[in-house]
Amino acid sequence: MIPVSNPIPEPADFNEVCRNRGHVWIAQKVLADELPEPSKYPNYWAKYEGDLANAFQERCGWGAMWIAEGDVEHFLSKKNRSDLIYEWSNYRYITGSLNGSKGNHDDKILDPFEVCDGWFEVILPSMQLILTDRVPIPLRDKARFTVKQLHLRDGTKLVRCRRRWYQSFKDGMPMSELEKFAPLVANAVKKLEQAGEPLP
């Protein structure tokens, strides 16, 4: 995980197209005594996937790498906080596989908006992600739970993606591109280079 700028400006038409529209739909269902499970609510937020992707620089908020397509994640889940289903401030950008792992754990998971520089590192050549001692003590249990629950340390898909970006760098990708697409991998490379150690 890496820092993500917060707050993210709300799109100009969000209030009309998503928030108000969603609340009207809920009110109508309540009046008709037909309110379904929150998972069945209309996904008016889907229109804003691109806005959210841009705000996250097209990187997954937890995997911290560029993704071709991602999900609008309700940080506090639809199941537990139906009142926030149509709230822009509750949305994060995430790759689908990690979204499934996050489930309804809500604020037991570390929020990308909470993260600061240097809290996580990728180790070469294993491509495993580790916590550093920069993670504040009050947040370490949450950070450990997040890494375990979302398989951030050595999940097969994440490790494979890290390896691909690293190999692209070794094949000639400029460091500036690696920093953009896989910043934690870039940091791992720079750390070895600064220590005068050969790249594996």
Side-chain angles (χ1 to χ4, degrees):
M1 298 180 70
I2 58 173
V4 177
S5 296
N6 182 46
I8 296 171
E10 184 176 299
D13 64 351
F14 181 84
N15 193 56
E16 177 184 355
V17 174
C18 187
R19 182 184 291 114
N20 287 348
R21 190 178 174 197
H23 291 168
V24 167
W25 181 88
I26 291 170
Q28 290 172 341
K29 291 297 182 181
V30 168
L31 285 173
D33 198 24
E34 296 175 351
L35 191 66
E37 291 295 315
S39 61
K40 305 291 186 182
Y41 284 27
N43 63 341
Y44 300 141
W45 56 82
K47 177 182 185 290
Y48 300 97
E49 182 271 336
D51 298 272
L52 203 59
N54 288 337
F56 277 71
Q57 299 182 52
E58 299 192 16
R59 295 186 295 246
C60 170
W62 285 268
M65 287 181 285
W66 181 87
I67 50 179
E69 58 182 70
D71 295 338
V72 176
E73 155 66 13
H74 291 75
F75 181 66
L76 299 179
S77 65
K78 297 189 289 290
K79 178 180 178 181
N80 295 329
R81 290 298 305 271
S82 61
D83 58 312
L84 297 178
I85 286 179
Y86 298 108
E87 286 302 322
W88 175 254
S89 62
N90 192 41
Y91 299 158
R92 309 291 183 269
Y93 192 59
I94 192 171
T95 190
S97 59
L98 296 189
N99 198 2
S101 296
K102 181 179 176 293
N104 299 321
H105 290 290
D106 291 15
D107 55 2
K108 289 170 62 178
I109 298 290
L110 190 64
D111 189 340
F113 293 159
E114 294 179 281
V115 176
C116 294
D117 280 324
W119 285 17
F120 298 90
E121 290 183 353
V122 165
I123 303 300
L124 296 177
S126 70
M127 295 297 167
Q128 292 183 332
L129 180 135
I130 62 168
L131 278 68
T132 74
D133 58 8
R134 292 190 185 183
V135 179
I137 292 174
L139 290 176
R140 285 184 188 173
D141 285 343
K142 182 185 279 193
R144 292 187 189 102
F145 178 81
T146 302
V147 168
K148 181 178 180 181
Q149 182 64 34
L150 272 59
H151 313 289
L152 301 181
R153 183 175 72 95
D154 52 9
T156 302
K157 291 181 180 179
L158 288 175
V159 167
R160 186 166 65 236
C161 286
R162 291 171 191 145
R163 288 193 192 283
R164 284 178 181 169
W165 288 118
Y166 178 58
Q167 188 59 50
S168 294
F169 172 75
K170 293 180 75 176
D171 290 342
M173 171 187 280
M175 173 58 77
S176 60
E177 293 293 289
L178 185 62
E179 289 173 331
K180 179 168 61 175
F181 293 120
L184 291 179
V185 176
N187 289 345
V189 169
K190 289 186 286 187
K191 186 175 182 178
L192 286 183
E193 290 179 336
Q194 289 166 3
E197 298 180 20
L199 297 179

